[in-house]
Amino acid sequence: RAGQARRLKSVIALTVTKDQAGNITSATANFQISVTGFPAGTRVTDAHIHNGSAGSNASVYVNVGLAAG
């Protein structure tokens, strides 16, 4: 639609559990993705985490597996 803003918003919340020494013993990730204003049939790929230092081109480590539907 002409004039309608296209928006994609994603939030990744990490919850970690640590032992007394401060080591991470477990973790969960909650991915929330909101897409509005795109034409029907628009393919959207979103939200993955790379395992590398800032500015490096590392491979994807965690992928949310977003699929149509």
Side-chain angles (χ1 to χ4, degrees):
R1 295 180 194 150
Q4 183 175 5
R6 296 178 180 172
R7 295 190 176 111
L8 185 142
K9 177 182 177 183
S10 59
V11 176
I12 304 171
L14 302 174
T15 303
V16 298
T17 302
K18 297 181 181 183
D19 62 18
Q20 290 182 348
N23 299 307
I24 296 174
T25 58
S26 67
T28 59
N30 181 342
F31 294 85
Q32 296 177 336
I33 301 167
S34 173
V35 180
T36 59
F38 289 87
T42 299
R43 176 173 274 186
V44 178
T45 303
D46 185 47
H48 57 265
I49 299 171
H50 295 266
N51 187 20
S53 58
S56 69
N57 189 12
S59 61
V60 174
Y61 190 68
V62 176
N63 188 340
V64 300
L66 180 67

